[in-house]
Amino acid sequence: MIKVDLSGAAPFFDAAGPDYAAAAAAHRLLEEKSGPGAEFTGWTELPMRMKKGELKPILAAAAKIRSRSKALVVVGIGGSYLGARGAIELLRPLPGKDDPKVFFVGNGLSADYLNCVIEQLGDDDFDVNVISKSGTTLEPAVSFRVFRTMLEKKYGAAAKRHIFATTDVSRGVLRSMANAEGWECFTVPGDVGGRYSVLSAVGLLPMAVAGIDVAAVIDQAIATFGSLYRRSPDNPVWQYAAARQHLYGRGYSIELLASYEPSFRFMAEWWKQLYGESEGKNGIGIFPASLEYTADLHSMGQYVQDGPRKLYETVVSFEKSLTSFAVPFGMGDPDGLNYLAGRDLHDICRTARDAVKAAHISGGVPNIGVSVDKRDEAGYAELVCFFELACAISGYMSGVNPFDQPGVEAYKKNMFALLGKPGYEDMGQALREKLDGVEPREKYRLRCYNGDFSYILLEKKKKVDGLCRKT
């Protein structure tokens, strides 16, 4: 079962220590669905929903894909892909002999990356799982058009059997397209925000295709949610949420999530979205960042050890290694490493972790430990349930709604406006003028001199340079 170790953070607490009464109150808001955003707390019930029947069609679709295709292309961004990618890279960092490759697209706008995925697909049979509640987010929409076109060229009328849409139950562009084309559909639960959706079809279908035992994940998630609902300061969720809020109140505003397991990288990316979108509001919030130990100790270790004292670290550990590897003996000991000969790398890594913890604490960096037994389906499920519950409780403790994300739409609207999406023309014009550093256009008169265009500010009759380039 998941454990939290606060021994490395306790020296930085004040006399009162973490506020477990506030954690209890926040937990009550979540459990009773009486806090802000309560309509988006369905994620606490997802494992049981899956167990009661929703998992069956997901497993059937995954079996179909695994039986006929060498690859699955997952199209999505943010919560539509980070959870699944985190799980696959943690539990299946290299595909097994019979496992399809899983590619993730739609999370950026890089032509080079897109072409690289297409090149790796080659002539292999593949399927597409497009994940979007609306279907209008630019990055996945563009990528889906690309790979849908590829499927249609490859399979003709049969292409629709290779497309699986995970979207809103009844509304949105993607749902309308799926209904019209006859694609097999799965639902993004209406009472679950994207960053909390990994234990729904959003995450489970790609995970199952990759060969992860998602039934075991769901069984462990049910058990973990049950164990983490106890009302006690011994609850590791309370310990983590209360400790991080206490440290934040004492000026530690940056949290570094670290792990000594390289395959944890995209789990950390999932965690960053979960906490960043949930808590970064109203001018407050702990900034979530991540590091990969021991590698990043040789690049960021100096900053962590001796930089500004406003950061703390949360270190995720897997107590048992899935495999072993003993350091070999060297004749003559030319590299001086025979003192390690015969020792298992996992034990050496554990020692390194203890040494780093001691060094960072002495340097003024609070350390929170989070550990699970093994890097397997059970350990993954425990981490997901733990971090989701702790995020909701921590958000309520800070006084924000941990289930909305009002700031996310700002860049999307600007992007649509600058790209010329119909209906955004006026906004686009105003943005272009703002980016040029001028006031709204109606205050200017266009002037041409020797082929170069510029505006004259009518009110002050002053030339403003660089407002319009030669065309």
Side-chain angles (χ1 to χ4, degrees), residues 271-293:
W271 173 88
K272 285 193 286 190
Q273 187 203 4
L274 180 66
Y275 280 78
E277 260 187 18
S278 297
E279 293 190 316
K281 294 160 193 172
N282 304 333
I284 64 170
I286 300 166
F287 183 81
S290 62
L291 293 176
E292 179 188 314
Y293 291 165

Side-chain angles (χ1 to χ4, degrees), residues 180-239:
E181 298 293 334
W183 304 329
E184 187 169 348
C185 283
F186 297 93
T187 298
V188 178
D191 58 353
V192 178
R195 59 189 178 275
Y196 290 88
S197 67
V198 65
L199 297 181
S200 72
V202 171
L204 296 177
L205 178 56
M207 289 162 60
V209 171
I212 294 171
D213 186 350
V214 296
V217 170
I218 291 303
D219 285 342
Q220 185 60 53
I222 292 171
T224 302
F225 271 141
S227 69
L228 294 179
Y229 265 99
R230 67 182 185 272
R231 301 288 183 85
S232 166
D234 293 331
N235 187 335
V237 165
W238 286 24
Q239 293 170 349

Side-chain angles (χ1 to χ4, degrees), residues 40-331:
F40 293 107
T41 56
W43 50 272
T44 61
E45 302 153 9
L46 276 178
M48 192 57 70
R49 293 184 197 174
M50 295 297 116
K51 186 74 172 178
K52 289 181 178 179
E54 291 187 33
L55 185 59
K56 187 175 180 179
I58 295 172
L59 293 175
K64 188 187 307 181
I65 295 168
R66 288 175 60 85
S67 70
R68 71 187 181 194
S69 293
K70 292 187 176 181
L72 173 68
V73 177
V74 179
V75 183
I77 196 168
S80 294
Y81 96 102
L82 281 172
R85 187 164 188 176
I88 292 170
E89 297 211 4
L90 183 71
L91 304 178
R92 294 292 186 277
L94 293 175
K97 184 180 69 171
D98 299 321
D99 295 332
K101 295 179 180 178
V102 180
F103 297 99
F104 292 92
V105 302
N107 47 73
L109 295 168
S110 168
D112 290 345
Y113 176 78
L114 202 64
N115 279 316
C116 182
V117 171
I118 292 171
E119 183 179 349
Q120 291 183 70
L121 281 174
D123 294 325
D124 288 346
D125 288 314
F126 71 97
D127 290 270
V128 170
N129 178 205
V130 54
I131 307 169
S132 175
K133 199 158 191 176
S134 66
T136 59
T137 303
L138 182 65
E139 297 93 332
V142 169
S143 288
F144 180 50
R145 175 178 282 199
V146 171
F147 286 93
R148 179 188 175 192
T149 301
M150 288 175 60
L151 286 175
E152 290 169 346
K153 288 181 179 178
K154 187 177 184 68
Y155 299 111
K160 65 182 181 181
R161 295 199 292 270
H162 291 264
I163 298 175
F164 299 82
T166 306
T167 187
D168 188 86
V169 66
S170 60
R171 298 179 298 177
V173 170
L174 184 56
R175 171 58 70 171
S176 297
M177 292 172 65
N179 291 343
E181 298 293 334
W183 304 329
E184 187 169 348
C185 283
F186 297 93
T187 298
V188 178
D191 58 353
V192 178
R195 59 189 178 275
Y196 290 88
S197 67
V198 65
L199 297 181
S200 72
V202 171
L204 296 177
L205 178 56
M207 289 162 60
V209 171
I212 294 171
D213 186 350
V214 296
V217 170
I218 291 303
D219 285 342
Q220 185 60 53
I222 292 171
T224 302
F225 271 141
S227 69
L228 294 179
Y229 265 99
R230 67 182 185 272
R231 301 288 183 85
S232 166
D234 293 331
N235 187 335
V237 165
W238 286 24
Q239 293 170 349
Y240 178 56
R244 62 195 305 274
Q245 285 299 326
H246 184 72
L247 290 171
Y248 181 50
R250 292 181 59 77
Y252 296 96
S253 58
I254 300 172
E255 181 175 9
L256 301 176
L257 187 75
S259 177
Y260 288 78
E261 176 52 61
S263 62
F264 190 77
R265 178 190 170 195
F266 267 91
M267 280 295 292
E269 295 299 317
W270 168 80
W271 173 88
K272 285 193 286 190
Q273 187 203 4
L274 180 66
Y275 280 78
E277 260 187 18
S278 297
E279 293 190 316
K281 294 160 193 172
N282 304 333
I284 64 170
I286 300 166
F287 183 81
S290 62
L291 293 176
E292 179 188 314
Y293 291 165
T294 61
D296 285 339
L297 293 172
H298 298 265
S299 57
M300 294 296 293
Q302 172 63 41
Y303 187 95
V304 177
Q305 187 70 40
D306 290 334
R309 301 298 77 185
K310 59 182 179 180
L311 55 85
Y312 66 95
E313 60 186 351
T314 297
V315 180
V316 175
S317 302
F318 301 91
E319 292 305 314
K320 298 177 183 176
S321 178
L322 298 178
T323 61
S324 62
F325 197 100
V327 176
F329 178 82
M331 292 299 295

Side-chain angles (χ1 to χ4, degrees), residues 13-27:
F13 295 159
D14 63 21
D19 189 350
Y20 290 116
H27 201 163

